[in-house]
Amino acid sequence: MSPTLDLETVNSPGRSAASLGAAPAGKRVLLAEPRGYCAGVDRAVETVERALEKHGAPVYVRHEIVHNKHVVDTLTNKGVVFVHEADEVPEGAMVVFSAHGVAPSVHDLAADRGLRVIDATCPLVNKVHNEAKRFARDGYDILLIGHAGHEEVVGIIGEAPDDVQLVDGQDAVASVQVRDENKVVWLSQTTLSVDETMQTVVKLRERFPKLQDPPSDDICYATQNRQTAVKAMAPECELVIVVGSRNSSNSNRLVEVALGAGADAAHLVDYADDIDPSWLDGVESVGVTSGASVPEILVRGVLERLAGYGYETVYPVTTANETLVFALPREIRPDRR
Ligand code: SF4
């Protein structure tokens, strides 16, 4: 039988990390809130599930619909076929584009093959695509802060390959070249560390004082909220466990943010079984959170495993309440008639 979890609230929305000092000593879990699924991931996964219900297997999905092993394995077992590129999809078949977005050339390839496309790109990724198109049209050099090779970055660069330069971290700033220092703007991948991104922007602005900011934050609300919750929790934690997959950008950033905010150690795990018991040696306070592509069932598994080691009391650390929901793609919305 699974150990019972005792959830108590010691921190209400908006209270500072300092208030966590009221937590009693002894083995305990601090559980970050918000964590897990964001609105874009929720929409993308539901899109694939509805496509399966409506059209039956196989449904083809270009790239992992979201960067989570459990989600991908579960959908594969239901009849989803994940492919690297649209030319692997049989002509005329249905294909879903992942939450990370695609370059226009991918839409062109799908059209050439007569594929029936459902685009599950997160609306907040689409926002960055639209910014890139607009600034390129207006003759700007666009400095895109992001990680080389990440699907989202590849898609955004594809909107204006001659006008977008990737800036992958502070070390890349020195090699940036622009055509006109008066027309330079920075944009960013949605899932970066807020603090590291702003450090890169400071360095870019030292080189290009007229550098423009994006019209609104590109690092999305979900990424920011999960980092803020971890920052509130981490100073009280000897260990932070982040549930998430290795290829999940926002999950990896949560590990970094936890360490930067004062956790003694932080580890990324896909599943509860990935927890190494030696991590718990001498540890009383364990923080738990999860990336934006992680279903809550995986967090429950981690909490149950920790309870088995005596960490039965769970204190939520809440820094925001999320209510955002995105409408499903038009092609898959329920018929209202
Ligand atoms: S992490 Fe942000 S940008 Fe990515 S899918 Fe979620 S809401 Fe959209």
Side-chain angles (χ1 to χ4, degrees):
M1 198 176 79
S2 297
T4 309
L5 297 176
D6 175 14
L7 270 83
E8 295 178 29
T9 301
V10 294
N11 201 21
S12 57
R15 282 178 68 182
S16 70
S19 65
L20 292 173
K27 284 187 173 182
R28 60 198 181 275
V29 172
L30 301 183
L31 182 60
E33 175 71 39
R35 64 179 178 281
Y37 267 21
C38 60
V41 164
D42 201 32
R43 172 182 185 263
V45 174
E46 190 176 347
T47 296
V48 177
E49 287 172 343
R50 289 203 182 206
L52 275 171
E53 275 167 32
K54 198 167 167 184
H55 303 286
V59 166
Y60 293 86
V61 177
R62 184 186 177 275
H63 291 175
E64 294 189 351
I65 184 71
V66 298
H67 285 156
N68 184 262
K69 184 177 173 351
H70 176 82
V71 172
V72 169
D73 289 349
T74 303
L75 291 173
T76 301
N77 290 336
K78 290 180 178 175
V80 171
V81 178
F82 290 95
V83 298
H84 289 293
E85 199 39 88
D87 60 9
E88 296 165 47
V89 180
E91 289 197 6
M94 169 165 292
V95 64
V96 180
F97 291 160
S98 76
H100 311 101
V102 299
S105 59
V106 177
H107 280 284
D108 294 344
L109 180 58
D112 288 347
R113 297 181 63 74
L115 304 183
R116 291 171 292 147
V117 171
I118 302 175
D119 189 353
T121 302
C122 176
L124 299 181
V125 175
N126 267 333
K127 179 184 83 76
V128 186
H129 280 241
N130 290 334
E131 289 168 355
K133 280 191 278 193
R134 178 158 70 80
F135 282 109
R137 199 173 53 229
D138 292 346
Y140 279 76
D141 274 297
I142 299 161
L143 310 182
L144 177 66
I145 302 174
H147 296 303
H150 190 280
E151 277 114 307
E152 183 184 320
V153 161
V154 172
I156 296 165
I157 293 174
E159 293 288 358
D162 295 335
D163 304 291
V164 181
Q165 285 179 70
L166 181 64
V167 183
D168 189 349
Q170 295 181 50
D171 292 347
V173 170
S175 57
V176 171
Q177 299 292 332
V178 301
R179 294 164 293 192
D180 178 355
E181 296 198 359
N182 295 309
K183 292 190 94 170
V184 188
V185 63
W186 70 274
L187 304 178
S188 85
Q189 190 179 332
T190 58
T191 50
L192 300 181
S193 154
V194 175
D195 296 340
E196 281 183 13
T197 301
M198 293 320 296
Q199 287 162 13
T200 303
V201 172
V202 167
K203 282 212 163 5
L204 283 171
R205 193 158 275 128
E206 283 169 5
R207 285 203 57 201
F208 310 111
K210 294 192 175 161
L211 179 71
Q212 284 192 31
D213 293 323
S216 59
D217 284 352
D218 286 340
I219 298 179
C220 77
Y221 81 99
T223 299
Q224 296 196 35
N225 284 348
R226 281 149 192 70
Q227 290 176 16
T228 300
V230 165
K231 278 185 194 168
M233 176 180 83
E236 307 299 323
C237 298
E238 293 149 279
L239 166 70
V240 169
I241 294 174
V242 178
V243 188
S245 291
R246 299 257 152 230
N247 60 345
S248 163
S249 173
N250 77 84
S251 301
N252 281 290
R253 302 295 80 76
L254 290 175
V255 172
E256 295 164 4
V257 168
L259 293 170
D264 296 338
H267 297 283
L268 189 64
V269 299
D270 261 306
Y271 294 104
D273 286 351
D274 297 340
I275 296 171
D276 183 336
S278 70
W279 297 346
L280 303 170
D281 288 347
V283 167
E284 287 202 328
S285 174
V286 181
V288 174
T289 187
S290 56
S293 48
V294 177
E296 187 62 11
I297 190 172
L298 301 181
V299 175
R300 300 307 302 181
V302 164
L303 295 179
E304 284 170 14
R305 179 132 196 245
L306 288 172
Y309 286 103
Y311 301 87
E312 293 182 62
T313 306
V314 180
Y315 297 96
V317 179
T318 305
T319 52
N321 291 310
E322 293 180 348
T323 54
L324 187 64
V325 177
F326 292 132
L328 289 170
R330 192 173 7 95
E331 302 84 354
I332 209 74
R333 271 178 222 159
D335 192 347
R336 285 173 178 263
R337 278 173 298 175

